[in-house]
Amino acid sequence: MPQSWIGRMSVVAGANRLIPKQTYLRIFLGVGLLFAIVSIPFAFLLSNQFSRYAMNQIDKVSEAEMAHSRDNAQFLLNKMISYGLNMYANKNIQAWMMADAESQGTQVDALAAGTQYMATEPFLDNVYMINMQTEHVIDLRYGISSFAQFRDPSMLDLVRHPQPSYQRFIPHELYGKTKLALVIPTVPSGQLSFGYLVLVLNEDLLKQYLLKDNGKAGVLSFILDDKGKAVLGPANDSFESLYNGYASKVSAEQGSFTARYENETWSVQYAKIEPQGWTFFQMAKLAGIQSDFRTFQTRMTVFLASLIILLLAILFWNSRRTYRPFSQLANQLESKFGTGLRNMTSEGPSEEYRVIRYGIEMLENRMDQLDSSMREHRNVIKAEYLRQWILQGKLITPLETYLRQEAIPALFEEDGLFVGVIRINGYSAFKEKYSFASRKLVKYAMGNIAEEIIRREGFAEAVDLGGDHLVLLIAGGTLKGDLLPRLLEETGEQIMQWTQVRVALSVSGQKAIVDDLRAVYQHVLELTMLQFVSGESKVFLERDFEAYMRKVEPLPDDSLLDDLIAKVRMGRTEEVSAGLDRIFEPMHSMLYAQSKFQLSHMLYTLFKAFNKLPSVESVEGINGLLESFDTLAGIRSWLESELLAIIEELSSRRNSSRRDEVVTEIVDYVRSHLHDPNLTIEEIAEHVSLSTRHARQVFKDVWGMSLSDYILQERVEEVKKLLDTTEWTVTDIGERAGFQTKSHFFTVFKKATGKTPSQYREGV
């Protein structure tokens, strides 16, 4: 065999030895080589195309930015012209400038008017008021002077000569510094005026608002007049030749060109400023932009190369072991949900698919739980807004907008609404039976029952205010006559059937949305107490309360009863008997009917104060209770034993085993009534059936701070949250958090945070 063939065969054999024998490696190398051949040119093409696109976008952005800068300049200059004309038209300024003799009164009035105008416009550096007849000038910075003493004689020469056009700003030099000035009126014909108003603009502020001057970023901007002179911008010698050259290149209303400056290539954008005839220029270094693009291309190339390497590695790994990704996914799901996921399936590699399937199902359940949590969060916001509406009695605009548009639009579809109350009978026994959390759940169930029944014919929303009752806001044009009371009667029956809790129900007539909802709510809550008085199991209406008030006569001295309630809450057992004696003594000389009315009113008040009388739970109403006694002495003895039982119960509440439960209830009540500007510690103490002193002490022992400080702290936190999450006005937020006055709100917030609400919102 010829040596040449032998050499060729050896080369082929060497090449074959370089090709791996494993199939997955050959597939990997072949696909990888093809992928690299296609991807690398594509990476360069993509980066180049993106660079071109980015350059076009930058040009468009620059044009838009230039137009915006031009519009800002035109707006500001036109604004100053309008401001000057308005100032010129001021009667006090006109009176002085047109006067033919100096008067101290007109001088003072003109100076005061000019000072007021200048104080409200930051772009004004100074204002001259010139009287050509008396030859005096009012300089708002230096006072009144004659023409001979005036510090700016060049301005006097300027106003004496005609101007080329109306309402044009003039570059005016004073003490070696050029400022823009506007002379009003401008008289192109040369006809002199008796008085002139000259506005001198603040050059530094104009540069700050209109120009960009960032040498490090390679951006410069300036404004030239029609002769190529600097109106606003750098005025040193190095820019003079630059300005002249640029002015000659302006050929349209807006455009661009490139130019050389300081051995650099710059992109120059320009736009005309009308009606001044000036031109706004903005320069940007192209070297910086091109450098950024080159950097971007390099990074893009590196990124794509890294991506290619990563994809090749993934391809290799996938070729070597097909099922490895599935195993990794199964392991990740197990690490997320625990080994219990593996226990749901049998062992073995084939069961990884089941692990993945059960894991995805668990992820789906987690998503459902997250969605439910988000809905619950919306419900919490809705309930909080409704509580504020009820407790404050009015709807501020942000709350009304949210409730109408997002939360419960059905409540606002009718012309008005009804306010109902579901009050738990024997609330003290109810509190003894259920823990705080359980009470919340039972009241939640009661609200759901009421909403479901009433929504057959209208719409209802239940609101828990943290006490012994729920409030129902009811809407529906068809709920007329006795339909709504019938639905509420069914509500009471269903609540008794499902929760084994007896309730008293009452409802108002139809009220307008703008009515004082707090007053309506308090009246309807009072109606539910009529069940204790009458013993009737019915839905009480407003007319029932009117009938009751016509029958009941108040005690001769209501302070005696208030004093008795206070003694019970303070646990002064020995003073209760004496208090009862003082109340019952006048009754011995009354007729039976009179004393019965007095006793009815007294028991009604005591029941309201303590949410119970221990043995009244089984007696059908006050009348039935009173008829069970033959003498006043018997009633007095029974009532004394009832009050002593209440004192014993309140005393047990003060021990350490009940403190946490009582404080938890106080905290919930405060948070539910935080929007109520009339919330008091006395009201909170009455809610938990403790004296004010004991309520304060129990809360401080458990919480470590006073109850009043806690209320203020919660209100400040509510304000912080609303300042961070809403765009409501500061006044609305103060009302929303329950502050009675704006001054008190600002004082408390500043003391707590060291900032005003506005400063806190702005992050100052």
Side-chain angles (χ1 to χ4, degrees), residues 153-163 170-172 181 183 198:
S154 60
M155 181 57 69
L156 296 178
D157 295 336
L158 188 64
V159 299
R160 290 191 179 106
H161 294 84
Q163 300 301 315
I170 305 165
H172 175 62
V183 179
V198 180

Side-chain angles (χ1 to χ4, degrees), residues 653-720:
R653 286 190 181 192
R654 298 186 188 108
N655 61 39
S656 58
S657 64
R658 293 293 305 276
R659 283 184 174 183
D660 291 342
E661 180 81 8
V662 170
V663 170
T664 300
E665 190 167 356
I666 289 175
V667 168
D668 181 73
Y669 191 83
V670 168
R671 291 175 177 172
S672 299
H673 291 72
L674 199 62
H675 320 297
D676 184 359
N678 298 318
L679 178 66
T680 62
I681 296 178
E682 289 74 16
E683 176 188 339
I684 298 170
E686 183 177 349
H687 170 69
V688 294
S689 299
L690 293 176
S691 67
T692 302
R693 183 176 64 84
H694 278 99
R696 290 177 189 269
Q697 188 61 46
V698 167
F699 187 88
K700 188 166 186 179
D701 290 345
V702 174
W703 207 261
M705 65 188 306
S706 69
L707 183 51
S708 58
D709 287 345
Y710 173 74
I711 295 172
L712 288 179
Q713 173 185 287
E714 288 296 301
R715 284 180 167 157
V716 169
E717 291 302 317
E718 178 73 4
V719 169
K720 287 181 181 179

Side-chain angles (χ1 to χ4, degrees), residues 723-740:
L723 288 172
D724 288 334
T725 59
T726 72
E727 296 181 356
W728 299 356
T729 66
V730 172
T731 301
D732 283 345
I733 289 175
E735 292 181 3
R736 165 88 170 71
F739 288 97
Q740 286 186 323

